[in-house]
Structures are given as C-alpha cells and as structure tokens.
Amino acid sequence: MTDRANHPGGNGRAPEAGRPDRVRNVALVGHSGAGKTTLAEALLAATGTVQRAGRVEEGTTVSDFDDVEVRQQRSVNLALAPFEHGDVKVNLIDTPGYADFVGDLRAGLRAADAALFVVSAVDGVDGLTRMLWEECAAVSMPRAVVVTKVDQQRGDFDDTLLHLQDAFGEGVLPCYFPIGEGDRLTGVVGLLTQRCFDYSSGRRVERDPDPAHLERIAEQRASLIEGIIQESEDESLMDRYVSGEEIDVKALITDLETAVARGSFYPVLATSVPHGAQPGPVIGMAELLEVVTQAFPSPLEHSCPRVAPVDGGPPRPIECAPDGPLVAEVVKTVSDPYVGRISLVRVFSGTLRPDTVVHVSGHGLTDRGHEDHDVDERIGALSSPLGKTQRTITECRAGDVCAVAKLARAETGDTLSDPANPLVMTPWSMPDPLLPVAIRARSKADEDKLGQALGRLVAEDPTLRLENNPETRQLVLWCMGEAHADVLIDRLASRYGVEVERVDLRVPLRETFGGRAEGLGRHVKQSGGHGQYGICHITVEPLPSGEGFEFVDRIVGGVVPRQFIPSVEKGVRQQMERGVAAGYPLVDIRVTLHDGKAHSVDSSDMAFQAAGALALKDAASRVPVLLLEPVDEVGVLIADEYMGAVMSDLTSRRGRVLGSESVPPGGRTLIRAEVPQLEIIRYAIDLRSMSQGTGTFQRTFLRYEPLPAHLAEKVAAEAKAE
C-alpha cells in the first residue's frame, strides 16, 4: 500500500498535472449497486487522498455528497475524485449507474479517456451492463473490467468472467484471479508474473503461489498470452510462442498496455472492499492502480473531439497541447443557491487560468430550453474538486479537469475558447427525455420562485426538457424516467425551497364534426339606446384529417353586409379554439355562411362575432361531435428476447404494429408501430420494466384519429365536471 503520511493528498493539497502524459481521466462505469462509489473510496484511501474510506450507507463518501444521494444511497450525479499514484494524476469520474441518469454517464465519458467497468460478482452481467458497454463502444472508449464483491457468499468470479466473455467477446481476459472464496478471500494471483499477492495480514505481501493454483495459473496464463499476442504489433511473437519460446514478461506487459490503450483488449481484475458488517482486508487496489496508471491511455493517446468556428465552417481536429489554442468543454454544471454556478470543465487544448476572459458558446439544444448563446465571460477561481470540497489551483492544462466558478451563462455542453478565436466543439449525443411529468406550484410564493429554479435545473441537465403547454395550460417536465423526475422535484424543494406537486397529464385532444349540420347564430339585444344585432346561418361539413379550417362566403343580396362577413369568420374561429363539446380545439371543418340579417343601426363587428360563435355551437348540437386523439409513430429498440412481450404490449395499448427489422450487429430488433399518445404517457417506465432496463424508444407525432366511443364519453364527462 502507498505510504499515506508522505502523500500530498493527505494534507488536502490538490494533485497537479505537470504534463498531459502524466494524466489519466478514467470514468467509473457500471450498473447501480455494482460498487462503483465504494471502489472509488477504496482507491482514494489506498493513495492517501482521504484518511479513511467513507461508506455509502453512512452518507460519508466523497462522490455521493448531494443530499438526494445521501438519502437514496445511490449516485445520481457525475462526481470528480482526483488522486495521485506515483507521478501520475488520475481524475476518477464516478458516474451514475441508473438508466435515468445516462446523461451524466455520457458527460463522464466525454471527459474521460478510458472507462473502468465495475461488475458485481454477485449480480453478474445484466442487460443494463451490456447497454453501458455499448455506450462506451460507440465512442471507442478503452475499457478494463473490475469484478467487485468476490468476497461475498454468492460472489463467483469464474462464473462472472464467463458471462463477461459471452457478453463482450474474447478480448475480455483476466490478468489476475482471486485466491479463496467468500470471507476466506486472501489475495490475488498475477497471471503474467505468476506471483501471489497476499493481503491476509492487512498488507500486500508478494510470495510464490500455492501448488494447488499452479494448474489454473498455467491454463489461464496461456489464454492471456495468446490474447495479448493476437493484439501485438510484433508479428513474430506468435511464431515464437507456438515454437515453445518463453516470451519476456516485460514485452508482454508492454503489448498489453498498448492493446488496452488502443481499445482492443479489456483486462479483468478482481477486488474486494469490506462494506457493512463484511469482514476482511481491502484486496486488489495496488493491481488496479497499476492498470489505471500504466495501461490506460493519457490524453495525448486519446483523440480529442473536433471543433468548428462559431460563425460556421467545417469541423477540424485539435491536439492536446498546453500551449495550443484554448478549447475546453463544460461537462457538468451545478447551481448552488449560495455559491452560484460551478462548471466542471475538461480542457482539451491550451491552458485555463483564473480571472481570464473566455468565449462561451452553446448551440443545438433550443428544443430543451437551452437558448443558443455566444458571449464573453470572465472566469473566477479554478479549483480541483474532491467531491464537494473545492481545492484552489493556479491553472488547468490541456488534458486535465477542473471546476470553474462564476460562469453565469455557461451550461452543460458549452465550449470555452479564446475570444480572439471563438470555437464550438462537436456536441456529444444526448438521449431524448420521453417521460412527461406535469407539475404545479403548491402556493403563490412557490409559483413566484418556480421559473428561476427550473431555469437553473435546465442549465445543469441537458436531458431535461421544460414545456409550458399553451393548450393544456400545464407545466411539463420531460424526464428520463421516474427516478429522474423524483430527483428533480426533490431538488426544487431542498435546493431552491420550491414545493411542487404532480398532477395528471392532459393530452391535447381535438374535436371535429361527425357529419354535416346547419347552424343558426342569433345575437340580438335591444334594451334601449344602441343595441346589438347579428344573425347568421351557416353550414358545417367535416373535412379529411389534417385539412384544417375552410371558410366559404355564399352571401348574396347583401343580407349580411360585406364588412361583417370577416366578423362572422372571426367569431367561428374563436369558438373553434374554445371547442364545442369537451373544451378542446375544433379542427378539420368547412364553414359556409349562406344567409343572415343585419340592422342598419345596431349591427356591429362584435355582434356578428358573437353570432358566428353561436351558429357554430348550434350546429354542433345537431350532430355527433367526435373527439380526436394524437397518434405517434413509435420506434422501439429492444433485445430479441423481449420482442414478443413488447409487441403484445403495444397491441394492448391500441397500437398498430407496422413491422420490425433486425439491427446490426445483431441480437436487437427495431419495432415500428402507431400508438395513441394517451397510451404511452408512462411508456418510458413500462418499457424499461419489460426489457430489464435495456429497451429504448423514439416517438414522432403522426396525426389525429377519432377516440373510441367509450373513452370519448369518459373524457366528455370529465370536461363537464370541470
């Protein structure tokens, strides 16, 4: 173990990176409950960054410091935990493992150069783990796998390894295997070095392996060496190995490190971190630190995102150079009601210094409430966060990550660059929020503060979309899932003192005529003096879906003076907006004005507007009025094993399945269907339940269709009750 007494992290000083090649940006990735946060605590303690590892159940961990995380005992935010090992600075980025917070996961991958996959030996590889692996593969992220909880009774390292290889391919191979089982776990054996690292005394002791392990070492070592040789750039190695020549261990380690950095080989390690009442030593930290600092790529070895001029132009690459042009990106924004806005920034090029002016540019998320902006701002202090602790630093060079204060306009995903050469980075992909949650303030005081609080939440979270629906007059939060919605509502209360309550979501329906009808509008009021007089006769006919509204003037002989004909149309349009049956807008009709009467003194614009509205309501009372519901075109991407269940569920939602197609590289199917919006309000939650968290879907408005009679009667009754 590292000597904590002499470690610079032990006295609270932030670790500094002198050169990009001495930095490792590593994202901790894995499903919720796999042990990422506990593993991060063990690494911080092993390197002397903290004196004692915190515990999730006590709310004392470095990375889970948010009030919501402490209460729920799970990560919901991206958090940074830097430490030093040897002469290398490691920016450990702890990401949430729950599917609702995939936005923070993708932000963590953007800031990282490698991913450390955390898989529980108890729970194994589930569908969500596979999905997270695909997220990393999509951005060509180098990966290694840490198997945790091998000391628990149901923890089976060998079985987990088989599942990993089945899920992720032959490039997943162990570099170490654990000694012992359950609470009798004592250490690990290195396959390349053929040495045993015994932790049973509380310290790491290197010794010869037990004779009982030699056969297993030989078998797994051969598989590992063959896997490394296949990835080696030295084509002679395989011939030498097959001929029986003993390959130098240092050469194998060098080739392994190269393959890992290239993202074509994924080493597997075993660890044990005591938690709760679980006894036993911390095992495997030294071996893990060795892989992180020596095998994972530095920022110089991992390509940077492309940039383009703010005013337009083709994207171009940049290099990780401290003396290059400034290009940095905000990967996480936190708004504190007392401290203000703090931005977690990855510097890709140049050097960021306190009290300098930078250009802040953000584009492409206007549909989610993030307005496009280009503005120069002076940044405040720079710091290196260790959880919620901000440790002041003097500069942040290319390849490093830091926190920046006082960027009032910066939002997650924004680019920071030199004002003389403003640039914008190619944005990373963000998932669409598909769970609508309608809310309202509990009091007038809450309503006054709600707008500002929501604005700050939107700036922090690009996976949140805010909608103020003018038709239903509801405030809607479009979230990633139920857990995401709960966190947002909790944050409004705990951070900003705004209490809100959920209300039933109203889907914007439409009304239309079920047949042709005549209508009389008579607005005559004479009570002495100037009165009101307007009479009109109209014919209303339904039009095909999507045709809108058509007004036809068939007045002859001037029975309705020419100047009042637009007034009739205006009155009809106003009544269409208010609806004629259940209060929903009326659409797809043709209104023909063919007769009427006027008074030489009492007729007016307002009188004929009222007459037009009354005529439409009168016509509606003579024929059935149909309620129309919006129908979406839905594309559901799921694993083949869930295809039958998903198709049956879509049919039960009054959906029409249009077809399906296989999605490369295989094992997944895209199902296309047409489904009423009323039936998929909570589909984001239901699909996740059906597919064990792996299914995704997209939706696009298609058209309006008549609502079934029994549902239409229910909606009309509710409208009358209101």
Side-chain angles (χ1 to χ4, degrees):
M1 303 289 281
T2 305
D3 183 1
R4 300 182 188 181
N6 298 322
H7 197 282
N11 58 22
R13 181 177 65 82
E16 296 183 9
R19 307 192 312 268
D21 64 328
R22 310 318 298 165
V23 177
R24 301 293 183 270
N25 297 307
V26 180
L28 275 180
V29 179
H31 65 79
S32 185
K36 298 185 300 299
T37 300
T38 301
L39 181 64
E41 287 295 312
L43 289 170
L44 291 173
T47 56
T49 307
V50 297
Q51 295 301 312
R52 177 178 176 271
R55 296 173 59 179
V56 172
E57 54 269 26
E58 294 177 355
T60 55
T61 63
V62 167
S63 54
D64 285 357
F65 58 87
D66 189 282
D67 290 342
V68 176
E69 295 174 313
V70 172
R71 286 196 298 273
Q72 297 186 2
Q73 294 188 11
R74 67 176 177 187
S75 301
V76 301
N77 294 311
L78 176 154
L80 183 66
F83 60 81
E84 282 182 328
H85 181 67
D87 61 346
V88 175
K89 176 186 178 182
V90 179
N91 288 313
L92 195 65
I93 303 166
D94 190 7
T95 66
Y98 202 69
D100 280 16
F101 309 106
V102 68
D104 269 33
L105 166 67
R106 293 187 180 180
L109 295 180
R110 178 68 160 217
D113 300 306
L116 190 59
F117 250 76
V118 182
V119 177
S120 165
V122 175
D123 302 319
V125 182
D126 61 2
L128 183 58
T129 305
R130 295 171 185 257
M131 187 178 74
L132 295 173
W133 187 273
E134 291 174 2
E135 291 272 351
C136 295
V139 293
S140 302
M141 182 70 67
R143 280 149 278 168
V145 182
V146 178
V147 179
T148 60
K149 303 183 181 180
V150 293
D151 55 334
Q152 296 192 13
Q153 287 187 353
R154 294 187 298 114
D156 190 325
F157 177 81
D158 293 336
D159 187 59
T160 303
L161 178 61
L162 290 175
H163 282 90
L164 285 168
Q165 292 172 337
D166 179 64
F168 308 135
E170 296 178 353
V172 178
L173 289 169
C175 292
Y176 300 87
F177 69 80
I179 307 171
E181 295 180 354
D183 56 8
R184 296 189 301 275
L185 192 72
T186 58
V188 294
V189 171
L191 293 176
L192 289 181
T193 61
Q194 303 182 81
R195 300 294 291 168
C196 174
F197 302 100
D198 194 329
Y199 288 84
S200 58
S201 65
R203 298 179 60 85
R204 183 177 186 255
V205 177
E206 182 178 343
R207 61 176 176 81
D208 293 330
D210 298 333
H213 297 139
L214 294 179
E215 183 177 347
R216 182 181 182 186
I217 291 173
E219 180 183 345
Q220 294 196 4
R221 186 173 191 269
S223 298
L224 176 60
I225 291 175
E226 289 173 9
I228 294 172
I229 290 175
Q230 287 178 0
E231 299 296 333
S232 175
E233 297 177 354
D234 186 350
E235 297 179 358
S236 67
L237 275 183
M238 181 60 75
D239 293 334
R240 290 160 52 195
Y241 177 71
V242 172
S243 65
E245 181 180 338
E246 184 68 26
I247 308 299
D248 181 55
V249 171
K250 291 184 178 179
L252 289 173
I253 292 175
T254 300
D255 284 339
L256 182 148
E257 294 172 353
T258 302
V260 172
R262 197 167 52 227
S264 57
F265 185 85
Y266 316 107
V268 180
L269 301 93
T271 63
S272 169
V273 180
H275 60 284
Q278 185 75 26
V282 177
I283 294 173
M285 293 304 111
E287 293 74 26
L288 178 56
L289 287 167
E290 185 178 90
V291 170
V292 167
T293 56
Q294 297 183 28
F296 276 166
S298 73
L300 295 175
E301 300 170 275
H302 194 241
S303 59
C304 297
R306 299 169 74 86
V307 300
V310 168
D311 55 3
R316 58 181 175 81
I318 56 172
E319 294 183 356
C320 179
D323 56 352
L326 177 63
V327 181
E329 189 170 35
V330 179
V331 295
K332 178 70 176 176
T333 306
V334 179
S335 296
D336 187 284
Y338 304 105
V339 180
R341 188 172 294 184
I342 298 175
S343 304
L344 188 66
V345 173
R346 162 73 191 264
V347 181
F348 288 96
S349 174
T351 300
L352 197 62
R353 295 182 174 87
D355 201 35
T356 57
V357 176
V358 297
H359 184 81
V360 181
S361 57
H363 303 273
L365 289 174
T366 53
D367 62 320
R368 304 191 186 185
H370 302 252
E371 62 180 21
D372 288 348
H373 52 272
D374 286 296
V375 61
D376 290 348
E377 288 196 73
R378 184 178 297 277
I379 65 175
L382 300 184
S383 59
S384 175
L386 180 62
K388 63 181 178 181
T389 304
Q390 302 292 333
R391 300 169 297 178
T392 302
I393 58 176
T394 57
E395 64 180 16
C396 185
R397 298 188 174 194
D400 208 352
V401 182
C402 70
V404 180
K406 296 184 179 179
L407 282 175
R409 292 292 303 278
E411 300 180 354
T412 302
D414 282 2
T415 304
L416 310 182
S417 58
D418 188 339
N421 182 27
L423 300 168
V424 61
M425 301 195 81
T426 304
W428 69 80
S429 172
M430 276 295 173
D432 292 324
L434 293 171
L435 177 67
V437 177
I439 62 170
R440 67 184 175 198
R442 286 189 177 175
S443 67
K444 182 64 172 64
D446 291 320
E447 188 174 341
D448 293 339
K449 297 184 292 183
L450 181 58
Q452 185 179 14
L454 286 174
R456 291 179 176 176
L457 288 182
V458 168
E460 292 181 24
D461 189 353
T463 61
L464 167 65
R465 179 160 63 89
L466 183 63
E467 176 189 7
N468 201 339
N469 194 305
E471 290 188 32
T472 62
R473 296 182 292 279
Q474 285 188 317
L475 187 62
V476 181
L477 303 179
W478 285 87
C479 309
M480 295 300 298
E482 193 68 33
H484 189 204
D486 289 343
V487 167
L488 292 170
I489 292 173
D490 189 304
R491 233 168 236 161
L492 284 173
S494 61
R495 188 183 293 178
Y496 302 107
V498 179
E499 297 287 343
V500 299
E501 57 188 9
R502 298 190 186 196
V503 295
D504 291 337
L505 182 77
R506 296 182 61 190
V507 173
L509 305 181
R510 296 286 186 271
E511 300 174 359
T512 194
F513 272 51
R516 186 177 184 275
E518 302 283 336
L520 167 64
R522 178 183 176 86
H523 185 71
V524 177
K525 291 186 178 180
Q526 292 177 315
S527 57
H530 188 71
Q532 299 181 47
Y533 192 97
I535 299 175
C536 62
H537 295 263
I538 64 172
T539 301
V540 184
E541 302 167 277
L543 292 175
S545 177
E547 291 293 319
F549 170 65
E550 182 181 342
F551 184 81
V552 181
D553 173 16
R554 292 287 171 79
I555 293 297
V556 294
V559 291
V560 176
R562 186 60 48 193
Q563 68 268 27
F564 295 136
I565 291 176
S567 302
V568 176
E569 180 181 357
K570 186 175 181 181
V572 169
R573 287 183 179 274
Q574 289 174 345
Q575 188 60 50
M576 287 177 65
E577 293 178 1
R578 294 190 293 266
V580 293
Y584 294 102
L586 186 66
V587 297
D588 299 332
I589 59 171
R590 177 189 293 119
V591 174
T592 302
L593 175 63
H594 56 81
D595 199 1
K597 290 183 180 179
H599 190 278
S600 58
V601 175
D602 292 342
S603 290
S604 65
D605 170 66
M606 293 301 297
F608 273 98
Q609 282 189 43
L614 291 170
L616 186 64
K617 292 175 68 176
D618 183 56
S621 68
R622 302 173 188 274
V623 294
V625 175
L626 304 179
L627 282 181
L628 304 177
E629 62 178 338
V631 176
D632 284 353
E633 182 177 1
V634 176
V636 186
L637 183 63
I638 43 92
D640 291 346
E641 59 192 287
Y642 306 116
M643 183 175 172
V646 170
M647 280 191 167
S648 297
D649 179 74
L650 289 172
T651 303
S652 71
R653 296 173 186 269
R654 299 188 288 121
R656 293 184 291 274
V657 177
L658 304 179
S660 62
E661 59 188 79
S662 296
V663 176
R668 295 189 301 174
T669 298
L670 178 64
I671 301 174
R672 299 192 181 278
E674 295 178 358
V675 190
Q677 284 187 12
L678 283 168
E679 303 291 343
I680 55 173
I681 291 174
R682 295 180 61 81
Y683 191 59
I685 299 171
D686 299 336
L687 176 62
R688 186 171 295 162
S689 176
M690 281 185 289
S691 63
Q692 296 186 11
T694 62
T696 60
F697 77 103
Q698 299 292 328
R699 54 187 284 186
T700 306
F701 171 73
L702 191 61
R703 60 178 176 270
Y704 278 90
E705 290 184 356
L707 192 65
H710 68 285
L711 293 177
E713 291 174 2
K714 180 181 177 181
V715 171
E718 291 174 351
K720 288 181 180 178
E722 290 179 1

